[in-house]
Each structure stands twice: as C-alpha cells, then as structure tokens.
Amino acid sequence: MLDTSLMALMGTNDASKAWTARFDPAERVAIKVNTIRGSEFQTHVPLVLAVVERLQSIGLPADHIVIFDRSTDELLKAGYPVNRDGPGLRCYGTDSDYTPGWMMMDTEVRLSQVLLDCDALINIPILKQHGIAGISFAMKNHYGTFDKPGSFHGGRLARGMAELNALPPIRERTRLIIGDLLTISTRNWSTGVVGDSILMSLDPVAHDKVGLQKYSEVMTSEGLSPETAIHLSDGWLANGAELGLGTNDLESINLMEQLVG
C-alpha cells in the first residue's frame, strides 16, 4: 500500500525512486504518530514500522529515524518499541522537552525538540471524531507537537490549528502525510469502524478535506449524521487554505484510488 500510493503520488513506477525523491539517506526523519491518552485507537504500529522499513530500504540508518508523540508513556501503552538512545530505531516522547520562539495568534508557544532535531517529518495520524474540531487527522495531529494545545481549543481552534501547521518547523519539514484509515473512530474515541486503506498526500488541507469526506461516508453508513463534524471542520480547513497550506476545494483535489491486492 505504501509503495503503490507513493509511486502514484510521485508519478513513477519505481518504488525506490519514489522514496528517494522525498527522503535522503543522510537525513534524520521524525515520524509523528497519535497515541493520545483516553482513546481506544492509535496510529497502527504495523503501518508505522512498515514506513520505517521503507526508509531503511533506501539507506537511512535505523538510528536516524525516530517515532514520536507527546509522551513516552503513551507510546509505550500503544505498543510502540520505545528506545531513547539504544542502538537501532529510536522511539520516545517529547516529555516536556519543548523549545520556545514561536507565536500563534497572540500567544508564545514552544515546539517539540524531537521535531526540531529532525531534517524531515512524516505525519501519520489516525482519523477520529473530535468534539471541538469535528475530526482529528493530519492538522490536528500536531496538537501533540507543541506545549499549549489547551490554549487553542474552543473559539481559538479554527485559527490556531491553521497557524500551528503554518509554523516553519512544521511546514518546512513535512515531507509526507500518511493518513491511517485502517480504523476510523466515529464516536468519543471509543467506537471504531474497521477500514482497509491509507490516505497519502503532500497537502495537509487537501488531506484533511478528503479525510472529512471519508469520515462523513462512514458516519452515514452507520446511520449517523456527519453534519456537526462538517460544520466544525469548515473553519480550520478554510483558514489553512487562506494561509497557503493547501486547498480545501474538493474540485481542485486530484484523488487517485489505487487498489492493492
């Protein structure tokens, strides 16, 4: 699934060329997952380890790759192979190691040192319902990358989420977004629908707009209304487009579906 998706995205029939077009073996690559406490569903470990395998296949040393989220404890509970400084693949949380120097709206924020230590970033969120944002996917996943997520909910979320993703360390390092649709959480992070796909993009706004569409389809199939999620998502998607992060216009999005047997 990973190779087929990336080859389509990069316009090549060579999987190795597709990966080397996005990543250099000399780089340090961070992989942001979602393992937030209180959810029954996290970014699937086998998917993330498959990405690690593909990076190693083009020459990245295992110790140049780090899987991270806000907390080592949450990663451990989600089944990730925690390893802060031993040999091989690294995996650990930010654990309050944040660096200051950025502004969102009228508030100074600090960013994860794990992010700042990397050259390239892969964002691998899982698609979930969210009571304030409508859905949590690629853009919302970075609420686990900075120190004040609680300050950017409510009325500040629509602008705050867009400004967070527009911060240079996030925007400039992001090389690839791989949306985890292997499970879609529809209600309260405790009810999930089994899926069979991933969603790959270079555009976080388009990625989440399509994710909202996929979420709406699942909700409808379950006899539930997606209207609240659509309404709550409209603001931050529009603001992301306004800040030049990508497009929220479905007619402008080239959605390619690749079947893998």
Side-chain angles (χ1 to χ4, degrees):
M1 292 171 72
L2 289 166
D3 284 347
T4 300
S5 298
L6 192 60
M7 287 189 293
L9 192 63
M10 301 307 297
T12 178
N13 293 321
D14 186 316
S16 181
K17 286 183 179 179
W19 286 99
T20 54
R22 301 306 300 165
F23 303 97
D24 186 289
E27 293 180 312
R28 295 186 177 275
V29 178
I31 301 174
K32 173 65 173 73
V33 297
N34 188 313
T35 60
I36 189 169
R37 185 179 291 109
S39 174
E40 295 292 323
F41 309 101
Q42 297 84 28
T43 305
H44 288 82
V45 176
L47 172 61
V48 178
L49 295 183
V51 173
V52 171
E53 179 184 306
R54 303 314 294 137
L55 293 173
Q56 289 182 278
S57 75
I58 62 167
L60 271 84
D63 60 2
H64 280 205
I65 305 167
V66 56
I67 301 165
F68 83 105
D69 203 357
R70 65 178 188 174
S71 161
T72 299
D73 179 62
E74 289 174 330
L75 286 161
L76 188 63
K77 288 181 178 179
Y80 281 88
V82 167
N83 176 29
R84 180 172 292 276
D85 51 18
L89 171 68
R90 304 302 168 85
C91 178
Y92 51 89
T94 300
D95 295 332
S96 300
D97 187 8
Y98 295 101
T99 297
W102 291 271
M103 296 292 296
M104 288 170 52
M105 300 171 70
D106 58 354
T107 304
E108 183 178 7
V109 299
R110 301 184 299 162
L111 294 177
S112 168
Q113 191 60 46
V114 184
L115 166 71
L116 298 176
D117 286 341
C118 80
D119 303 301
L121 174 67
I122 302 175
N123 187 0
I124 313 186
I126 190 167
L127 179 57
K128 300 191 296 186
Q129 174 267 348
H130 194 280
I132 301 173
I135 62 167
S136 175
F137 212 19
M139 292 175 66
K140 185 68 170 61
N141 197 32
H142 281 303
Y143 267 51
T145 307
F146 79 124
D147 67 324
K148 294 179 180 175
S151 298
F152 294 91
H153 281 90
R156 287 163 61 88
L157 182 142
R159 189 67 188 179
M161 195 191 303
E163 290 199 10
L164 172 64
N165 281 266
L167 292 177
I170 294 176
R171 184 174 188 172
E172 295 171 5
R173 284 170 169 79
T174 300
R175 297 284 179 79
L176 191 62
I177 303 163
I178 305 172
D180 183 345
L181 298 175
L182 301 174
T183 302
I184 299 172
S185 177
T186 54
R187 283 169 288 177
N188 303 318
W189 297 355
S190 60
T191 303
V193 175
V194 175
D196 62 358
S197 59
I198 60 174
L199 181 64
M200 190 177 287
S201 182
L202 307 179
D203 175 337
V205 182
H207 178 277
D208 284 5
K209 183 70 174 182
V210 174
L212 177 62
Q213 184 181 50
K214 298 295 183 184
Y215 176 83
S216 299
E217 291 170 359
V218 169
M219 289 286 282
T220 301
S221 72
E222 294 285 294
L224 303 169
S225 172
E227 293 306 313
T228 297
I230 293 170
H231 172 71
L232 291 173
S233 301
D234 280 344
W236 53 265
L237 286 167
N239 285 331
E242 178 190 328
L243 291 178
L245 296 175
T247 181
N248 64 335
D249 178 11
L250 279 174
E251 294 185 1
S252 300
I253 298 171
N254 180 17
L255 180 60
M256 298 179 285
E257 295 193 42
Q258 305 289 318
L259 299 178
V260 180

